[in-house]
Amino acid sequence: MIYLDYAATTPMSDHSLNIYMKAAKNAFGNSSSLHDIGDIAARTLQASKKLIANMIGGNEKRLYFTGSGSEANILAIQSLLNGIHPSKNHIITTQIEHSSLYTFFKRLQTEGFEVSFLKPNKHGQISIEDVINKIKDHTGLVSIQHGNSELGVIQQIEEIGLCLKKQGILFHSDCVQTFGKLPIHVEKGYVDAISISSHKIYGPKGIGAAYIDSSAYWRPVIPGTTHESGFRPGTVDVPAAAAFAAAAKDISDKMNEHTKHYLELRSQFIHAIKPYKDKLILLNENSEHILPNILPVIVNGIEGQYLMLECNRYGFAISTGSACQVGMQAPPRSLLALGIDEQKAKQYIRISLGEQTKAKELESFTRTLINIIEHF
């Protein structure tokens, strides 16, 4: 089986797995315990936080481990909302956020919050003007993802963040898809909080992190919590944190190398499908603001679900969108937000590349995809 679904999850790297096993043996204590074994775990946890915080230009004391990127999203938003005045109950977000946040914001609407869902342009971009036009006197928080997992679109969070900082409005960004793939600097990016995840960067599943800048006041979702400075209850998974940090360091060191690799593969794919432009449409083919490892494709006349199953039959793992929405009959929400009709949106498939993806594997996949289309 050739794996082409890296945007959904990645396999653990050998280094990350080795670090996990070493930490599980040597730093198994509860990091909150006061004895020496607990101290070993605490120091391992501290070193892991420092390594990850350094990657984003932050302070390790502001980094809080969570059970996933989705949980990091929800805890970061709710903690920030708990810290602002109740009158600041207007939130600005987008129609193309990850399902963990989109559904959470929908719930907040039933709890007295006013939420504005910004519609992207036809390329999936959210402009600064769009954000400014929605700001009200009672706007307290804006949340805009850095990179979309289905479209591969990158938002200009630095420019948006600078504008919001000047107005004293809190800014959160879901950086789960971009962490380790794009440079992120929490201070230069003018973000108050970001969310990241381990299993997107060849680390273990079941651990993510939220970073909240010292300038942003927050209050715990569950009062009385002692772990992670009150941010999240429960004993911290120190081995997973150490493995997360190892994976983060490795992917950071190879960021430029990976980008070059993905751009070459993307160019190869574009060239290969050029004779089939009437059937295969690569969304945002000419856009600069994209994650090059995500190839969102619409195949005219064939449903993505059928193509995904056929590709699987031939030994290729691809997807029809975010793994967090698998099982839902509706087409990807991000495509509908672009103005693509429902029938066309159901003809979408996503190919996502990883560091292990070889040119010959992508070539083999492309030939298979074309063969399936020609014999449909």
Side-chain angles (χ1 to χ4, degrees), residues 13 15 55 180-181 202 247-262 355:
S13 68
H15 184 212
M55 279 186 61
K181 302 181 186 76
Y202 309 96
K249 178 67 167 60
D250 290 345
I251 202 167
S252 177
D253 290 344
K254 298 176 184 175
M255 194 180 297
N256 292 335
E257 178 187 329
H258 285 171
T259 299
K260 182 174 180 291
H261 177 57
Y262 298 143
E355 66 175 8

Side-chain angles (χ1 to χ4, degrees), residues 72-74 76-77 80 97 101 105 141-145 164 170-175 191-195 211:
N73 274 335
I74 293 168
I77 294 295
L80 289 171
E97 296 300 304
L101 276 180
F105 287 131
L141 181 142
V142 175
S143 181
I144 296 175
Q145 66 182 183
L164 296 172
L170 292 174
F171 183 36
H172 165 266
S173 184
D174 172 358
C175 297
V191 288
D192 296 292
I194 68 169
S195 308
Y211 184 90

Side-chain angles (χ1 to χ4, degrees), residues 286-350:
N286 301 311
S287 175
E288 296 178 3
H289 304 297
I290 48 92
L291 286 164
N293 66 306
I294 294 179
L295 303 171
V297 175
I298 288 181
V299 183
N300 281 330
I302 308 177
E303 284 205 4
Q305 192 88 339
Y306 170 82
L307 284 166
M308 183 268 290
L309 293 172
E310 280 295 284
C311 286
N312 184 71
R313 190 163 69 88
Y314 284 100
F316 299 94
I318 62 170
S319 76
T320 55
S322 170
C324 294
Q325 298 202 89
V326 167
M328 297 177 68
Q329 296 301 310
R333 178 173 21 88
S334 56
L335 270 72
L336 299 178
L338 300 186
I340 297 172
D341 67 66
E342 187 169 329
Q343 183 178 356
K344 185 71 70 176
K346 285 183 177 180
Q347 297 167 2
Y348 160 91
I349 58 171
R350 181 186 68 187

